[in-house]
Amino acid sequence: MQVAMIGAGYVGLVSGACFSDFGHRVTCVDTDAAKIEALRLGRIPIFEPGLEDLVATNLAAERLFFTTDLAGALEEADAVFIAVGTPSRRGDGHADLSYVYQAARDIARASRRYTVVVTKSTVPVGTGDEVERIIRELRPDAEFAVVSNPEFLREGAAITDFKRPDRIVVGTEDERAKQVMTDLYRPLYLNQAPLLFTSRRTAELTKYAANAFLATKIAFINEIADLCEKVGGNVQDVARGIGLDNRIGSKFLHAGPGYGGSCFPKDTLALIKTAQDHGAPTRIVETVVAVNDHRKRAMARKVIQALGGSARGRTIGILGLTFKPNTDDMRDAPSISIITALQDAGAVVRAHDPEGVEQARLVLDNVTYVDSPYEAASGADALVIVTEWDAFRALDLKRIRGLMGQPVVVDLRNIYRPEEMDGLGFVYSSVGRELSQG
Ligand SMILES: NC(=O)c1ccc[n+]([C@@H]2O[C@H](COP(=O)([O-])OP(=O)(O)OC[C@H]3O[C@@H](n4cnc5c(N)ncnc54)[C@H](O)[C@@H]3O)[C@@H](O)[C@H]2O)c1
């Protein structure tokens, strides 16, 4: 089949490369000419494990193409996916749909034959109706159907998630479009991934409900972690104790510095706005957002407390900047709020991240970036683990201890054991576990 993918970002590029790997002929279209030029040469603008090889293989096999010319890409396309960004609109938290609507107008102008227009971007309920209206208004003669097919992949594991999804949600009641979507996803369908057909509005809402639910799990376990610290419990054991219950499940129950990233913060806000607009407020999600916002600054206070109450003039080493491991994505990363709060308190910040420094430079000021965890620790008054990259899981702790000005470690991802750190002479604190006595 022939596919056009509008937007060659984290979602569009991965989806396009995976569809081409299934044997479809895919053309990725982006308005960013420099990005398209780089991709044509096999250079990947983002860090995502496995993506470079996948793109190279399918470029070489002439199943994957990159262009800025949508009209050309649409000539033979059975389906055109919209995978452009839907960031929070400045000021009010609604999803900014300007890129989606622009893509709809571009499709309307370029459309030449029956095409299924598939919204893969995360969009509020009713956006599909508006996309349909825009195309119909500009091109009353066009033959098309608008389908919602939200994407559930996670950065860092995006290819596996796309190729082995828990489910594929397709929102349409149009029989011809259903057939096209079934054919497109057939390689996955054979692997038993359930293809779930719903109405378009239901599919749109399902994506927000999924993200809001996961964000709720994180906020919940973080509050339990705070309680553990007060009463002397261990949040990892509580998480295991509840997670083994199948009704609850063990995923997304890792206490930490609060959720961030390109999806949860903006999607929870957008859901709240949609729900308020329709007079059906989602109060649980409203609270989750408030709890999470508060948490990031609270983590900076935790570091200051570990330093004895003041960070002024102290050097703090930060390990991990991206919102999670195995990505270079810095969008809404907890590290941003934590570092800013520490700088506000007078600290000097030195940071190391295996992949995120280039993006971090764009959003953080006055940070010294170093090439290794050991350089970050060197002479530092405190070392803070913010993102749990594998490279931080087996550090030479004796060496770290020797390098630091003061042996204070704040482990916001609970990757080390308190007894072990105490034994090595660190003043160690973590999240929701017995606090070290030093
Ligand atoms: N990143 C994730 O992990 C993830 C997961 C699931 C869903 N989503 C959703 O997928 C959508 C895309 O997210 P992303 O992270 O890939 O965004 P992104 O910012 O990485 O990529 C968007 C791309 O679209 C391009 N673009 C914008 N307008 C265009 C137009 N009119 N024509 C052609 N190209 C255009 C931009 O240049 C950019 O390259 C969002 O709605 C997001 O919520 C993201």
Side-chain angles (χ1 to χ4, degrees), residues 6-12 29-32 35 83-86 99 102-103 106 120-123 151-155 207 262-263 266-267 329 331:
I6 304 184
Y10 287 86
V11 165
V29 186
D30 205 291
T31 41
D32 184 339
K35 192 180 259 191
V84 300
T86 48
Y99 303 100
Q102 184 56 46
D106 295 345
K120 204 164 233 339
S121 300
T122 303
V123 293
E151 182 50 57
F152 296 96
L153 64 76
R154 294 162 300 169
E155 286 172 23
K207 172 65 190 177
S262 61
C263 291
K266 78 174 176 63
D267 292 348
D329 202 337
R331 287 178 281 186

